[in-house]
Structures are given as structure tokens and as C-alpha cells.
Amino acid sequence: MIEKTLEMLAMLNQAHIAKHMRSLALPEQRALAKQIAALDLTVLSLTDTCCKRGSFAPPSAVSKDEIRANAARFRQTGISAIRAGKVGAVLLAGGQGTRLGFDRPKGMYNMGQTRELSIFECLMNNLMEVTREADAWVPLFIMTSVENGEQTQRFFEEHDYFGYSRDNVWFFEQEELPTVDKSGKLMLADRGRILTAPNGNGGWYASMERAGMLKVLHDTKIEWLNVFAVDNVLQRIADPCFIGAVIESGKRSGAKVVAKAAPEEKVGVLCMENGKPSIIEYFEMSPEMAEQRDENGELTYRYGVILNYLFRTDRLDRSLHTKLPLHRAYKKIRYMTPDGKMVLPEAPNAYKFETLALDMVKLQDDCLAYEVDRRHEFAPVKNKEGVDSVDTARALLRLNGITL
Ligand code: UTP
């Protein structure tokens, strides 16, 4: 096995790893060869993903005004679905949070100033408002990574699941992919392991399948899954009004969206592409498209996505084995140099490969854009400072009456 691995590494232009492997003791060589055999090395030949885009149109949407006018009815429909056990939620918490630079799971970050208030607690408090109103638990599936899974579970245990019913919480781990440097070379995590990183937020349903979670879904007869990001501390989870609006629209998926603040705002926008729901990234939009306005003078493509989607499980089952495109993201990732030094870089140093949840939207038959007020539902914690940072999110939490 060791000889075969060495040959393969040479063939893949990874002779530096072969050289490192030869310097190890035999048991370590075996362990490294075993890890390499399990890695998906096809990513080594991947360059930037790009694809020709189709023809765009705005999506069907319910605006804030329409939601306000129909809120009681939507809410009732949503609450009935939750009570009937048809709704589950999926928390995507496997990211590395490299921009925040916090060395524990991002959900453990303390938003509080005079008391402890972790991101996880903010989210669980929001979810509990719904479970109280519905008088029913929403089954919650939490995706973690190899790196942060244990710590995340321990944190929930230590905090008694923040008052949630632990029988209604499941953890599952996502897969990893190798990470490469600027010139496409594999890197070392430590003496005996290749550096890998979580494979993005698009593979969550496939990871649920691998972890045996689909049986839970099917046994409990969950029909809808609300999937959401860990790092929006104002995230409304299993929002009855959102669920009700999507069900009543007859659409088979929904996306919470916020109106773009300006044409040049850096946010992916929900649209239709060749008749199918899709998301166009800000850098893919021509200035004309970004600035185009409808008959009311509003931006035609104005609905920015906030990583809060509602999907039907039967649709997810159908596209379970559809391969999603892999994207490259240049990030700051801790690694070991060939001479054995551990480095925590100050600037991005490595490409990780990821599938994205936004590509799952393209597999849906249709998608309702559900507009929310960003001041009440969108407080992302991405960066240490500046935009979308701890400070901006704290200000929004305060604005919403939350004591920090
Ligand atoms: P981001 O795209 O912000 O990535 O994740 P990140 O890794 O958390 O942070 P940066 O870019 O390194 O600073 C958006 C959401 O998707 C989840 C994150 O936990 C967050 O909820 N995610 C991301 C995963 O669950 N797995 C991944 O592999 C990547």
C-alpha cells in the first residue's frame, strides 16, 4: 500500500508529500497511506468553477407588505404543519469561520457583554419561541465537522441543550476534502496527516444520509426541512409564517431574502434561470443587471439570500445523488511546514473545496422568495471587525431588545 501511494503521489505531482512520507517511521507511513487512500484526490485537477449562465428572470416573491397582510393565515398554516410533525430544522455548523478567527466552533462565540450569550444560545432561544407558540418540538439536526463536532456536542450538553428537548436534537458530521496551496500542492495538517477541510455547506443532505438521519426523517414523517446558517444571530428558525407562506404558495421550496441595500451590494440574489430557481452571485452580475429596475422603480434583482431555505424532503431525496459543483475558496488555514513548523497564517494561504447550499436551490422545481426585514432577521457574524462583524451583530441584537 505504501509503495502504491508513493507512486500515485508522484503521478499527481505531489512528490513533496512522497518525500515527507519516506521520512516517517513505518507505522506512520501506513497511517498516512490509509488517510490518502480515503481522500477524494480528484479535487487536485479542479480549477476555478465557472459555467455559462442562462437567461434570467425575477423569482415569485411575497413582499413584506403581502406578508403583513396575510400574516395570521400564513402563521396558522405554519403552526399546523409544525404541530403535525411535518417540519424539521437543519443547523449548518460545520464551517471553519476563518474570517472570524475564533479557535472554537463559531456557535460558541460569546455575543454577550455583561453575561454569557453564545451564538448557539441566540439561535436556540429563537427556535424556542416557535416551539412554545406551536406547543410542539421541531426536530433539529446539527451538522458539525470532524474538527468541531465533539466540542459542539459537549457545549450543548454542558448547557443542557439551552432548555431544548435533547430527544429532538441529532448531530451529524460532514465530510472533508483535501486542501491545497496556491500551486495546487497538498499540505500537511501535522507530521502524519494531510490537511483537509470541511467540504462546504452544500453536502448536508448527503451527509445526513451517510449518518443514517434520513431514516429519522422518514420515520418521523418530516416533509419540510428549514436549513440555516449558524452565523446569523437573528435567524428565525422554523418560522411559522415563512412555512405557511411557502405551503400556501404551492411552491416546493422557499428562501428567506432581504431587499438589497444598493445595486452593488455584495450578496447573492435569488432569481429564475432558464425557468428554474437559481442564485446569481454579485460578481457574476453585469452592472446593467444589478441596476435594472422594474415598473415600480425597484431593483428587478433585489432579493439577496441569507442562507435560510425551506426544502421538501421528497425533492431532496430525488436529487440526493446529483453531484453539486465544487467551488474553490481561498482561506486562512493552519498547517504544518515540511520542516515541521505549525503556522497559523495571517492571510489566506490555502484553497479549500466546497459544495454550496445555494447550488441546491437550482435542483428545486420552484422557489418562493420570502422577504424579511434585515434589521430583525439578518445579523451575520462573519468578520472580526467592520462589516458583518461581532460589533454590527451586537448592535442588531440590541436593536431587537436582547440584553447582551
Ligand atoms: P461560510 O461560507 O461563512 O463559511 O459559512 P465558514 O467556513 O463558516 O466561514 P469563513 O468563510 O471561513 O470565514 C456559511 C454557513 O455554512 C456553514 C457555516 O458553519 C455557516 O453556517 N458551513 C460552511 C458548513 O456547515 N460547512 C462548511 O463546510 C462550510
Side-chain angles (χ1 to χ4, degrees), residues 5-26:
T5 309
L6 291 170
E7 267 169 39
M8 182 183 67
L9 287 169
M11 238 169 57
L12 292 171
N13 224 1
Q14 307 291 334
H16 62 299
I17 300 289
K19 185 171 166 216
H20 173 77
M21 202 165 152
R22 283 197 194 92
S23 75
L24 300 175
L26 200 59

Side-chain angles (χ1 to χ4, degrees), residues 92-100 106 143 174 198-201 228-231 307 331 352 354 382:
L92 302 176
Q96 293 176 296
T98 59
R99 285 170 285 175
L100 184 63
K106 206 191 234 188
M143 181 165 87
Q174 67 178 110
N199 65 348
N201 60 27
F228 62 97
V230 72
D231 49 16
L307 221 178
K331 303 221 175 186
K352 65 174 281 200
E354 21 183 46
K382 295 286 184 193

Side-chain angles (χ1 to χ4, degrees), residues 31-303:
L32 183 56
K34 197 168 161 211
Q35 186 210 4
I36 293 174
L39 291 177
D40 177 358
L41 294 176
T42 57
V43 296
L44 294 176
S45 51
L46 195 93
T47 49
D48 281 320
T49 38
C50 78
C51 48
K52 217 169 122 21
R53 304 300 303 243
S55 82
F56 292 104
S60 315
V62 270
S63 66
K64 281 191 288 184
D65 290 342
E66 287 169 272
I67 294 167
R68 218 171 290 123
N70 298 290
R73 214 186 59 240
F74 287 160
R75 185 163 281 280
Q76 199 42 55
T77 306
I79 291 284
S80 303
I82 292 171
R83 277 202 192 124
K86 292 182 181 170
V87 183
V90 182
L91 164 55
L92 302 176
Q96 293 176 296
T98 59
R99 285 170 285 175
L100 184 63
F102 180 55
D103 62 359
R104 277 170 283 163
K106 206 191 234 188
M108 285 172 62
Y109 194 90
N110 185 18
M111 298 303 292
Q113 290 175 305
T114 60
R115 62 174 181 132
E116 198 196 313
L117 178 67
S118 65
I119 293 181
F120 282 135
E121 183 167 357
C122 293
L123 299 176
M124 297 309 287
N125 287 346
N126 293 351
L127 177 56
M128 286 223 292
E129 282 180 23
V130 174
T131 56
R132 254 181 247 121
E133 185 184 348
D135 196 20
W137 299 109
V138 172
L140 174 66
F141 302 88
I142 303 178
M143 181 165 87
T144 61
S145 68
V146 172
E147 201 181 341
N148 73 16
E150 262 178 46
Q151 267 186 301
T152 303
Q153 283 201 44
R154 207 177 321 124
F155 195 68
F156 271 77
E157 289 287 343
E158 282 164 6
H159 291 81
D160 198 21
Y161 287 70
F162 307 96
Y164 210 70
S165 125
R166 67 178 60 201
D167 295 344
N168 282 283
V169 179
W170 288 263
F171 293 90
F172 65 100
E173 227 166 57
Q174 67 178 110
E175 286 71 46
E176 300 267 310
L177 283 171
T179 303
V180 296
D181 69 10
K182 229 179 186 161
S183 42
K185 302 288 186 208
L186 290 168
M187 302 163 80
L188 293 171
D190 54 41
R191 262 176 65 77
R193 273 182 320 128
I194 301 291
L195 185 69
T196 61
N199 65 348
N201 60 27
W204 58 272
Y205 201 66
S207 298
M208 280 182 83
E209 188 207 23
R210 266 185 290 264
M213 296 290 138
L214 300 200
K215 182 163 165 23
V216 181
L217 289 184
H218 298 146
D219 287 353
T220 47
K221 304 206 166 26
I222 290 174
E223 287 179 15
W224 296 93
L225 282 176
N226 178 207
V227 57
F228 62 97
V230 72
D231 49 16
N232 170 10
V233 286
L234 285 180
Q235 190 88 258
R236 305 304 307 176
I237 303 150
D239 173 356
C241 222
F242 175 40
I243 296 163
V246 175
I247 292 176
E248 291 199 15
S249 73
K251 307 262 178 231
R252 276 143 299 172
S253 72
K256 282 208 167 182
V257 295
V258 292
K260 271 174 80 165
E264 60 283 356
E265 192 185 354
K266 291 182 172 165
V267 58
V269 165
L270 187 69
C271 57
M272 297 299 285
E273 181 177 3
N274 296 339
K276 296 278 269 174
S278 183
I279 287 162
I280 179 158
E281 289 284 13
Y282 68 92
F283 52 82
E284 297 174 304
M285 267 197 186
S286 65
E288 295 73 43
M289 184 175 179
E291 276 157 31
Q292 191 181 326
R293 291 191 183 264
D294 63 18
E295 61 284 0
N296 302 317
E298 297 206 72
L299 293 175
T300 308
Y301 297 99
R302 62 179 172 280
Y303 289 131

